[in-house]
Amino acid sequence: MLTTIAPASIWDLRRSAKRRLPRMLFDYVEGGAEDERTISENVAAFSKIKLLPHRLRDVSKRTTDVDLLGTRIAAPLVVGPTGLNGAIWPNGDTALATAAKRAGVPFALSTASNERLEAVAKVGGELWFQLYVVHRQLAERLVDRAANAGYAALVLTVDVPVNGKRERDLRNGFRIPFRYSARTILDALTHPRWTASLLMNGTPTLANLAADNATTLQAQNALLRREMDASFDWDDLARLRDLWPRRLLVKGVCNPEDIARCFAIGADAVVISNHGGRQLDDAVSSLEILPQVRHLGPVLIDGGVRRGSDIVKAVALGAKAVLLGRSVLYGLAASGEAGASKALSILFEEIDRTLALLGCPAASRLDESFIAATALLPATAQGCSDQPPGQ
Ligand SMILES: Cc1cc2nc3c(=O)[nH]c(=O)nc-3n(C[C@H](O)[C@H](O)[C@H](O)COP(=O)(O)O)c2cc1C
């Protein structure tokens, strides 16, 4: 009898995702802006950091849990916000929220979700809501709804004043509702498992906006084309801080000056992010900038996390946690909630194994002593004096 081989890594889940999804949709998940150099750099940045294990330490009992902004979570990771999860798997938002809850980590629901934020709130667990400001009235309304539905944190994404130039999507004519050409029909026919679930469940809509007022169609189209309110500025952020009663995170910052300003305005944390290489190509990788900004306040990072050891490196270099994008989406695309849970359990197991091999019994005890000094670290972080020689 033939047995199926269980996925051993995120890369195995990626292969399954590629098999199940039509090319147009796999490209939407996988692709990024222009030459996709930032995507490659995000992943490469982790491989440039080398680990420096301690030996002869008792690592017979290990813990991966950490404190994140006052909440105990099972490992330093968050299932990050991604739009159109329902196009990847029916009720993909609920599937991701459920997988995150089971794993004991937060889930961030995107403004561009395919299920209403109120419906996903019913899953429970530590839920965050990610806000895109398409226009201000709509944003205020979403903030209100997220507060009423009990979301514990608001994540304001600030790196999409306009959409990045995603050439795979342009070439594929990717849009919702899907546009059918001879090529997309052939694409759908050659991926029958995905097509059958679409036919059974219908084309996903941007449910948060569909549930709203008369601006629906206009706002949905604007969001799909990522036509944001490009005039949103620091004063607006200060107003949003006053409006939102719970924890506020600003996602998509990377400049140290901006990060300091977010904290001055009262943000509880920032997520250093280049949006998974989907916005500004050649934007700096989050890991690279981390050592320069970690002293400014609680910092999370994302982009290119595919291994438990990547998460260990980020935390050792000062990140409170990482956000996962594609890693969990590959699992979702492969087999829904079970696949997303599999992605998380692979990462949990890899974190635990890396801690053991590193001689560190707890993720909460990771620090720079586990990292070999490399060219990536600024001079001060390598223990060098920033004074000229002789002073
Ligand atoms: C398919 C897809 C959809 C995304 N949608 C959103 C979104 O709606 N809001 C947002 O703030 N970020 C969005 N992102 C960016 C992720 O939150 C995260 O920053 C990025 O995926 C991290 O990089 P990684 O995929 O290499 O882990 C999306 C990313 C992907 C891959």
Side-chain angles (χ1 to χ4, degrees):
M1 198 178 78
L2 284 177
T3 52
T4 46
I5 296 168
S9 71
I10 296 298
W11 300 114
D12 288 347
L13 289 172
R14 179 182 175 277
R15 272 186 285 278
S16 304
K18 196 170 182 182
R19 275 196 298 274
R20 180 177 165 272
L21 292 179
R23 169 77 186 269
M24 174 180 73
L25 213 61
F26 182 75
D27 276 352
Y28 160 71
V29 172
E30 187 76 350
E34 298 183 358
D35 296 309
E36 301 188 346
R37 285 197 292 257
T38 296
I39 297 188
S40 316
E41 280 299 314
N42 282 349
V43 176
F46 284 100
S47 61
K48 288 186 208 152
I49 296 284
K50 302 297 172 202
L51 294 165
L52 190 62
H54 285 287
R55 300 296 184 209
L56 298 169
R57 289 183 169 184
D58 180 358
V59 287
S60 56
K61 291 190 193 71
R62 297 177 299 278
T63 53
T64 57
D65 58 313
V66 292
D67 177 87
L68 179 62
L69 307 173
T71 303
R72 205 74 199 161
I73 59 171
L77 58 93
V78 174
V79 176
T82 50
L84 301 188
N85 294 328
I88 295 171
W89 193 272
N91 299 324
D93 299 303
T94 292
L96 289 180
T98 308
K101 184 186 172 189
R102 291 221 167 103
V105 296
F107 168 66
L109 182 75
S110 167
T111 293
S113 64
N114 299 124
E115 288 170 72
R116 295 190 61 190
L117 64 91
E118 289 83 0
V120 179
K122 294 208 176 84
V123 172
E126 168 82 2
L127 292 173
W128 299 358
F129 181 69
Q130 177 267 322
L131 182 69
Y132 276 136
V133 179
V134 179
H135 63 73
R136 285 156 211 228
Q137 274 164 312
L138 181 67
E140 284 179 20
R141 177 99 186 91
L142 285 170
V143 167
D144 216 36
R145 283 173 55 194
N148 289 336
Y151 283 77
L154 186 73
V155 182
L156 174 74
T157 298
V158 293
D159 56 4
V160 189
V162 298
N163 206 16
K165 186 168 178 247
R166 304 188 191 156
E167 296 181 3
R168 298 196 203 203
D169 291 350
L170 293 173
R171 274 185 220 110
N172 292 334
F174 179 72
R175 54 184 288 250
I176 301 269
F178 302 122
R179 204 169 32 198
Y180 294 101
S181 63
R183 196 167 142 213
T184 50
I185 290 171
L186 186 66
D187 197 8
L189 288 175
T190 48
H191 296 88
R193 285 187 294 154
W194 177 87
T195 306
S197 74
L198 182 82
L199 290 175
M200 275 189 307
N201 295 284
T203 305
T205 60
L206 295 182
N208 282 326
L209 309 184
D212 222 279
N213 53 31
T215 59
T216 300
L217 263 183
Q218 192 195 354
Q220 286 215 21
N221 281 328
L223 188 55
L224 281 170
R225 289 199 304 271
R226 299 287 202 316
E227 280 170 14
M228 302 296 163
D229 181 345
S231 69
F232 193 92
D233 64 10
W234 290 104
D235 292 337
D236 296 306
L237 175 61
R239 267 192 294 279
L240 186 69
R241 174 63 291 187
D242 291 341
L243 213 61
W244 174 255
R246 303 187 196 122
R247 281 171 280 152
L248 176 68
L249 291 86
V250 182
K251 173 175 182 278
V253 278
C254 54
N255 190 308
E257 196 184 306
D258 290 354
I259 293 171
R261 207 162 165 183
C262 288
F263 288 121
I265 281 178
D268 296 285
V270 298
V271 183
I272 309 175
S273 173
N274 53 38
H275 214 105
R278 297 162 81 81
Q279 285 298 106
L280 176 67
D281 204 16
D282 285 333
V284 68
S285 78
S286 306
L287 191 70
E288 221 164 325
I289 207 81
L290 177 62
Q292 290 174 47
V293 300
R294 60 188 170 193
H295 61 282
L296 296 173
V299 165
L300 292 81
I301 71 165
D302 76 10
V305 175
R306 305 289 181 266
R307 288 277 178 197
S309 58
D310 295 342
I311 300 169
V312 165
K313 288 174 183 177
V315 174
L317 284 172
K320 294 282 171 212
V322 304
L323 265 63
L324 304 172
R326 296 179 182 86
S327 291
V328 204
L329 290 184
Y330 295 146
L332 181 73
S335 53
E337 185 197 315
S341 288
K342 183 70 193 173
L344 292 174
S345 71
I346 286 172
L347 292 173
F348 268 71
E349 194 279 331
E350 287 180 353
I351 295 172
D352 176 66
R353 188 183 298 269
T354 305
L355 288 175
L357 293 171
L358 207 50
C360 179
S364 57
R365 284 166 58 185
L366 284 166
D367 61 23
E368 218 177 86
S369 72
F370 295 99
I371 302 288
T374 70
L376 258 187
L377 300 175
T380 44
Q382 290 180 49
C384 302
S385 164
D386 53 3
Q387 300 291 321
Q391 295 197 14

